[in-house]
Amino acid sequence: MTDRRTAGPGTARVGHLVAAAAFAVCMAGTTLPTPLYGLYQEKLGFSELTVTVVFAVYAFGVIGVLLLIGNVSDSVGRRPVLLCGLVCSAASAVVFLAADSVALLCLGRLLSGFSAGLFTGTGTAYVLELAPPGHRARAGFVATAANMGGLGCGPLLSGLLSQYAPYPLVLPFVVHLGLLAASFALTWMLPETVAGARPLRTARPDRPALPPEVRRVFVPAGIAAFAGFSLLGLFTSVSPAFLATGLGVHNRAVVGLVVFTAFFASTLGQLLVPRLGTARAVPLGCLVLIAGMALLAASLAWESLPPLVLSALAGGTGQGMGLRGAVGEVAAAAPPEHRGGALSALFVVAYFGISIPVIGVGLLTGPLGLTHAGLVFAACMAVLAAASGLYLLRQARAGRADLGARP
């Protein structure tokens, strides 16, 4: 295992960027099937509820990994965990290539969830630790941008390939397998950042732990992450169906572009955080996220495409502000030896936001229809985002009052 202290100067400069690229490639695989669900529905004949369940299986895979081995990279090292994540992502692509039943689709999504669970907290910590001294803030953006950017590039890639190239259910996964192979080779050459890392075979299930230093900032950070990821979950699960049935948009490249817009806006929202500061970014992000929910409700009610695109822009921006602020607050509060576990715990909460509300929308679609189910969702998530923002504002006000009371 290469030690970071023996790495060359070139590795020290670009190692965090290489790790971020592998992070993005892995996360792209988790959203790659989004524009393809309509084709799978035609091929296998299943309902919209099944789509949300297949989608949510991925989130349960992420949560299971984060809960069982979310902080294992703190002991066995970052690099072997990420290599395992890339292998799981490749296995998911292979299963999707062979998928001829709902069960195989679920298996492919589960393996994809395993890959994301292995990468989410560990990849973020690895990018931060590989960054040159003095670049921690920029590395935080690189890590979260790789996460969100990868998630956005997945549907854009598969939407374009499935619409304008042959073999729509084959070529996207073949291309992704090629990107994964390159990412595996590059990650293999990166140095380890955990001092005294133990062999991978010594890894044991161990739930992510929250050190006392993290608990004060974790609750508002987790609520904001939950609300933001729930909006992204809706865009990546049922927006293709709404575009097709409500708006008559059947072009899979357009579907991929709309979903990409939400994740691209998330990356832009993260760029605002250094100017705002992490403490202010989360409540302001919640406010922008509420605006995104209102625009989503308008699109559903009026069956109009422009408000949906604006919802993707506003909601994604708010989610990005809140996510980077939350990651920054938790990473700064966590001791280095517990940072991977603390970040994994944050993403457990976030991925519950992707799974539970999306399944709720699927369940409500039968009795209420997709439009009214989406309206209920938007209202609930707006209330949750408002609660997080108010909590943080009250906490900040109390902190200022404590400072003013000191002699």
Side-chain angles (χ1 to χ4, degrees):
M1 184 75 67
T2 306
D3 190 280
R4 186 181 179 182
R5 291 172 295 182
T6 64
T11 302
R13 285 194 300 271
V14 303
H16 69 297
L17 299 178
V18 173
F23 196 172
V25 168
C26 180
M27 300 311 292
T30 68
T31 52
L32 202 66
T34 295
L36 309 178
Y37 286 135
L39 293 176
Y40 283 117
Q41 280 184 286
E42 293 175 10
K43 178 181 177 180
L44 303 177
F46 51 79
S47 67
E48 199 58 44
L49 174 60
T50 303
V51 172
T52 60
V53 171
V54 169
F55 176 83
V57 166
Y58 153 76
F60 291 132
V62 179
I63 293 166
V65 169
L66 292 176
L67 285 175
L68 288 175
I69 54 174
N71 58 355
V72 72
S73 72
D74 291 331
S75 58
V76 304
R78 313 296 186 205
R79 193 181 68 171
V81 173
L82 298 187
L83 291 174
C84 289
L86 292 170
V87 170
C88 287
S89 186
S92 171
V94 171
V95 170
F96 268 104
L97 286 172
D100 58 0
S101 67
V102 172
L104 281 179
L105 290 180
C106 288
L107 177 59
R109 292 296 288 162
L110 186 65
L111 289 167
S112 183
F114 290 165
S115 70
L118 290 167
F119 253 88
T120 300
T122 300
T124 301
Y126 198 37
V127 172
L128 290 172
E129 292 162 356
L130 282 172
H135 291 73
R136 174 62 58 84
R138 186 180 300 174
F141 167 71
V142 169
T144 49
N147 192 343
M148 293 298 107
L151 289 167
C153 287
L156 184 62
L157 174 66
S158 63
L160 288 169
L161 290 176
S162 66
Q163 185 68 35
Y164 300 116
Y167 310 110
L169 294 180
V170 174
L171 190 59
F173 299 104
V174 171
V175 171
H176 188 237
L177 282 170
L179 293 172
L180 286 169
S183 298
F184 188 95
L186 291 171
T187 303
W188 183 271
M189 294 186 291
L190 289 176
E192 182 53 66
T193 58
V194 174
R198 302 197 306 266
L200 184 60
R201 64 178 181 273
T202 65
R204 297 291 182 271
D206 189 13
R207 291 179 299 174
L210 281 182
E213 304 94 321
V214 179
R215 292 169 191 169
R216 181 182 61 84
V217 301
F218 189 83
V219 172
I223 293 174
F226 182 96
F229 268 64
S230 68
L231 178 66
L232 297 182
L234 188 76
F235 268 99
T236 50
S237 61
V238 299
S239 65
F242 174 67
L243 283 164
T245 60
L247 304 180
V249 176
H250 298 280
N251 187 303
R252 289 184 293 277
V254 174
V255 172
L257 183 60
V258 170
V259 178
F260 169 81
T261 299
F263 290 103
F264 178 71
S266 172
T267 305
L268 293 180
Q270 294 168 37
L271 285 172
L272 301 174
V273 174
R275 295 174 179 267
L276 299 170
T278 55
R280 294 174 59 193
V282 180
L284 287 174
C286 288
L287 184 63
V288 179
L289 186 62
I290 291 170
M293 296 294 183
L295 288 164
L296 175 62
S299 175
L300 292 167
W302 301 335
E303 296 188 345
S304 174
L305 181 59
L308 184 67
V309 176
L310 291 174
S311 170
L313 286 170
T317 300
Q319 189 273 344
M321 292 168 63
L323 177 65
R324 187 176 178 189
V327 168
E329 289 281 284
V330 171
E337 65 272 17
H338 294 296
R339 187 173 292 126
L343 290 171
S344 292
L346 176 66
F347 283 104
V348 166
V349 177
Y351 276 94
F352 269 117
I354 276 187
S355 56
I356 296 174
V358 165
I359 292 177
V361 170
L363 290 171
L364 291 175
T365 297
L368 299 182
L370 183 58
T371 297
H372 289 92
L375 290 171
V376 171
F377 164 87
C380 292
M381 292 305 106
V383 169
L384 194 62
S388 176
L390 289 172
Y391 179 94
L392 284 163
L393 289 174
R394 184 179 301 174
Q395 193 177 59
R397 208 171 286 166
R400 287 194 298 268
D402 287 343
L403 287 175
R406 291 178 184 175

